[in-house]
Amino acid sequence: MSGKQFKLCVIPGYRCNFKCAHCSATSKRFKRLKNIEVEAIINAIKAYDIRSLHFVGGEPTLYISDINRILSSLPNLNRTKIRLTTNGYFAVRKELMRKVMTSLLKVDHFQLSYDKFHAKFLPFDKIQVLHEECRRQRVGFSVAICIQSPLDLTITPR
């Protein structure tokens, strides 16, 4: 496999602190990776030239210890791009947001999953707060919006 670079997407668990009507993750059987599964991921990372890790879920920031365990196993963490897709629950309070963001060994990019369902749990104005904190910490930021109809694109701040 020499010369190939790989990307890996990891679901540390399906647990989520939101109860969105559209969520398919809540019906999944396992709520968290088992130790043997974390070890298998670590072994795969060591066996291949993983240059990009993307953590998704459920809500991946509920599994920071597992994520950090995986990240600490990377032989070249500084050369690996780390992306995390989140519901952004921690943006409701600045101190919680900073605690969550700084407790991760490394994140290069936060992708906020936001739509009419998430808006029920995360006020629209908190997106800007999270974006500003990402900019302050020199971390990339983007928003992924899932829509059921074109009208969903008209999410308005409350």
Side-chain angles (χ1 to χ4, degrees):
M1 299 285 175
S2 177
K4 291 191 178 200
Q5 296 176 5
F6 294 92
K7 297 178 181 181
L8 182 63
C9 186
V10 176
I11 302 170
Y14 284 103
R15 195 177 78 211
C16 186
N17 48 348
F18 288 0
K19 302 287 184 233
C20 299
H22 74 307
C23 188
S24 62
T26 57
S27 65
K28 302 293 181 187
R29 280 188 257 156
F30 84 89
K31 297 293 182 194
R32 170 185 224 120
L33 289 171
K34 295 180 176 100
N35 279 332
I36 193 166
E37 294 167 324
V38 172
E39 288 300 321
I41 291 168
I42 290 170
N43 289 335
I45 288 169
K46 289 178 180 176
Y48 299 97
D49 189 13
I50 303 294
R51 293 291 177 99
S52 178
L53 272 175
H54 187 172
F55 292 96
V56 297
E59 173 51 39
T61 61
L62 298 176
Y63 303 96
I64 289 175
S65 62
D66 292 334
I67 291 171
N68 283 342
R69 184 172 163 205
I70 292 167
L71 294 179
S72 66
S73 74
L74 289 171
N76 295 305
L77 181 57
N78 61 338
R79 291 184 355 187
T80 306
K81 297 291 181 203
I82 309 300
R83 181 182 199 96
L84 191 139
T85 298
T86 179
N87 63 26
Y89 76 93
F90 49 86
V92 296
R93 290 191 347 261
K94 280 191 178 185
E95 57 278 353
L96 177 60
M97 179 174 48
R98 288 186 178 139
K99 178 183 177 193
V100 168
M101 292 175 72
T102 59
S103 64
L104 291 156
L105 287 178
K106 180 183 179 190
V107 175
D108 296 299
H109 191 99
F110 278 99
Q111 177 176 284
L112 178 67
S113 176
Y114 199 78
D115 51 37
K116 68 181 182 182
F117 303 104
H118 290 137
K120 178 180 175 183
F121 302 99
L122 182 67
F124 188 83
D125 63 323
K126 297 304 178 186
I127 294 173
Q128 184 63 33
V129 173
L130 180 56
H131 180 238
E132 289 169 8
E133 185 62 23
C134 285
R135 189 176 354 186
R136 191 182 78 71
Q137 291 190 29
R138 294 191 169 116
V139 172
F141 178 78
S142 63
V143 179
I145 298 175
C146 187
I147 63 169
Q148 287 181 316
S149 83
L151 292 175
D152 290 346
L153 294 173
T154 62
I155 296 173
T156 56
R158 295 181 206 184

